[in-house]
Amino acid sequence: MDGCRIGFARVAITPDEAGGTLGWGSLGNRAAIPPRDPTEQLHATALALEDPTGQRVVLVNADVHCGSPALWEAAAARARVEPSRVVVCGTHTHEGPGQRYGGAMYTLFGNASPRRVGRSTRRLGSLVADAVEDAVAALVPGGVAVGRAVALDVASNRALPAWKHYGDGDREAFLTDGPGALVPDQAAIADRCRDPRLTVLVAQPDDGARRCLLAWFAVHGTALGAGWPNFSADLWGFARAEVERDAPSTVVGFGGGASGDISPLPLDEDGAIRAAADGRPSTQGRELAAAVGTRLGRTVIEAAASATPAGFTLGVAHERWAARSSGLPAPLSGMATAGGGIDGMTDLWPDVEAGVEAPRYRARRGRARSMDDPQGPKASIAAAYTGVPLPLGPAFRVLAPRRLPLHVLRVGDHAFATVPGEPTTMAAWRIERQVQQASGVGSASVIGFAGDYGGYWVTPEEYLQQRYEAASTIYGREATARLTERLVALAAEVHPGS
């Protein structure tokens, strides 16, 4: 199609031996085994794009907790592609294998020994590199298109208490003019305060024999629950099976979106599990993963049907961002990360942060969440914590990532902005609007879990409430604002008129 080329490949990345899963901390399975069910197998899907000017980019969606520098750099080196031209995104499955990130926290406090994590990372890096190398080698004339569809009855926002503190009508604007307006008014408010849009990039060779779909959606990969006996792609495996059952000549790979505060469980406005009128199971397990995954698969089919591949142009901008250089405080983390995964205020957070009086620690009693909650409680790093402030700031300065990879990719009239970690719904919506304006495109979307794991990315309003997501933010109250500034600057570089 007018000098454009596309190539794609998929490689199985399921661990070949027992090991620890990453995503549940110490509550996860330390001896997960390879799955027997094909639906649960883990994959990396790579899509290589080349426009008529010779610009090339490779996107990888993989069934891992998050993209990481180790996977990203290995893939780029093997395929002889500049790292700035490679984007590696994870599904955030909590039943995936452990791997190294730019920071050391997950290596030290995750669910496997550092030695085993290192071995797993080397194996994963080699397999992801295989997928990228094969995709580049498979480049043939073809085109792409971006499609979107709305996925209902699949997810709920677990952090709505923090939304009550938005001023200037932010919540109302989200529900009337933003993504929340796409969900029917009669739906539960926790189902409406999320981004229901599924974005799919459709790539097809000119001969039309096969096609590749890369899809991104905002929901946590936590449907199976902690302690699941084997490695698993979680709900994403069921989504993949649904798509490929409908279209056997299609290869599909999934990635995450604005998933930071989004659970696959049906929740009420206070974050408690409710019985869903839509029939979604209200407990974690295979039934929930199958129900949510199957519905997402059908949404992918719908989104792909609305997109007709055609010729395209590319714009790519990249930065290895040093967060501290943006005036952010020393990396810190609240109780949810350092003290046991409990929502609420904490003395592990400093009394004064960024010149703002911080809320004080409140009694832990009554704030612990049940094991059915998809994001808590995690085992405490400070197991003997008794309410006495601990000097964790210096430790997190060492453990946190020093530089985070950022990408803004323009494919035709759509821009993708990557976030190295878990953006919440409102944070991602603010990023999306600014990136779309700066890049001069008709539409934009945020890809989460990309490049490296830098924790949660929340709004300043959410941060001051110090619920789970905010307490797991390691760069402070203004972190997302500074991240947005960098992504906007990159977006300006991919503007068609630049």
Side-chain angles (χ1 to χ4, degrees):
M1 296 185 183
D2 301 323
C4 298
R5 297 201 298 165
I6 64 104
F8 53 90
R10 183 167 69 192
V11 171
I13 61 171
T14 306
D16 55 5
E17 61 179 5
T21 57
L22 184 62
W24 294 102
S26 299
L27 293 181
N29 190 350
R30 290 180 176 271
I33 59 175
R36 295 182 178 179
D37 186 344
T39 304
E40 296 192 74
Q41 297 292 334
L42 284 68
H43 296 86
T45 305
L47 172 61
L49 304 176
E50 186 178 278
D51 72 7
T53 69
Q55 282 212 80
R56 182 182 295 176
V57 67
V58 185
L59 296 96
V60 184
N61 280 359
D63 293 313
V64 294
H65 176 267
C66 187
S68 73
L71 305 186
W72 173 50
E73 292 168 355
R78 176 82 66 79
R80 295 184 176 87
V81 179
E82 286 293 322
S84 63
R85 301 282 168 160
V86 179
V87 178
V88 179
C89 172
T91 58
H92 202 55
T93 173
H94 280 37
E95 317 306 333
Q99 59 171 302
R100 292 189 186 277
Y101 293 110
M105 185 174 72
Y106 270 80
T107 302
L108 294 177
F109 303 118
N111 221 6
S113 69
R115 182 177 180 181
R116 178 170 285 182
V117 169
R119 185 167 67 247
S120 173
T121 302
R122 288 191 294 273
R123 179 178 180 274
L124 278 173
S126 178
L127 292 172
V128 170
D130 286 345
V132 172
E133 187 176 36
D134 291 349
V136 171
L139 282 165
V140 294
V144 301
V146 175
R148 271 184 161 168
V150 173
L152 302 176
D153 307 330
V154 294
S156 301
N157 191 313
R158 68 172 297 278
L160 285 184
W163 279 47
K164 297 175 182 177
H165 300 274
Y166 283 119
D168 301 324
D170 275 357
R171 173 169 161 163
E172 289 71 24
F174 184 90
L175 293 173
T176 57
D177 299 320
L182 300 173
V183 181
D185 290 345
Q186 62 268 28
I189 189 65
D191 291 359
R192 294 180 63 208
C193 291
R194 64 179 181 89
D195 188 344
R197 298 168 298 174
L198 181 145
T199 302
V200 61
L201 182 60
V202 182
Q204 187 164 345
D206 286 349
D207 63 17
R210 301 175 70 225
R211 66 175 180 170
C212 177
L213 310 179
L214 292 189
W216 296 270
F217 184 72
V219 65
H220 252 76
T222 53
L224 292 174
W228 190 253
N230 51 260
F231 295 107
S232 177
D234 205 285
L235 59 92
W236 306 107
F238 290 93
R240 181 183 66 243
E242 180 69 13
V243 174
E244 296 180 2
R245 183 165 43 246
D246 177 80
S249 62
T250 294
V251 172
V252 61
F254 288 91
S259 312
D261 49 0
I262 303 300
S263 166
L265 283 164
L267 305 175
D268 63 20
E269 189 166 359
D270 295 320
I273 298 173
R274 61 178 170 85
D278 54 49
R280 198 182 343 158
S282 56
T283 57
Q284 290 168 301
R286 185 179 178 86
E287 288 187 4
L288 179 64
V292 173
T294 299
R295 291 178 188 180
L296 285 179
R298 292 171 184 163
T299 307
V300 171
I301 295 168
E302 178 185 349
S306 70
T308 302
F312 58 90
T313 59
L314 296 173
V316 185
H318 163 70
E319 177 181 352
R320 292 183 185 239
W321 179 47
R324 293 292 305 280
S325 69
S326 299
L328 296 175
L332 294 161
S333 192
M335 182 180 289
T337 296
I342 300 169
D343 283 335
M345 318 312 178
T346 169
D347 272 350
L348 303 186
W349 196 44
D351 293 340
V352 177
E353 193 277 333
V356 177
E357 289 190 13
R360 294 293 294 167
Y361 169 77
R362 296 179 181 174
R364 296 176 67 184
R365 182 181 48 177
R367 288 187 285 118
R369 292 186 172 271
S370 86
M371 282 292 296
D372 287 335
D373 189 288
Q375 288 161 280
K378 287 184 171 65
S380 175
I381 294 172
Y385 178 65
T386 60
V388 178
L390 302 177
L392 293 178
F396 278 102
R397 276 191 283 274
V398 174
L399 300 178
R402 294 183 178 277
R403 289 185 176 272
L404 296 165
L406 307 179
H407 282 86
V408 173
L409 166 65
R410 178 180 56 78
V411 181
D413 198 36
H414 187 91
F416 297 93
T418 67
V419 174
E422 310 188 42
T424 59
T425 300
M426 187 67 80
W429 188 44
R430 290 176 176 178
I431 291 172
E432 176 189 318
R433 286 179 293 172
Q434 294 187 53
V435 165
Q436 180 176 347
Q437 181 178 9
S439 59
V441 295
S443 57
S445 53
V446 170
I447 297 176
F449 314 116
D452 198 358
Y453 190 71
Y456 281 75
W457 299 88
V458 304
T459 65
E461 296 91 336
E462 290 169 333
Y463 189 80
L464 289 176
Q465 298 311 308
Q466 281 295 287
R467 290 179 59 82
Y468 178 93
E469 296 79 14
S472 301
T473 296
I474 58 178
Y475 292 104
R477 182 174 64 97
E478 300 299 322
T480 302
R482 302 290 84 77
L483 171 71
T484 303
E485 289 174 359
R486 299 314 312 149
L487 289 172
V488 167
L490 294 176
E493 294 182 26
V494 304
H495 193 291
S498 63

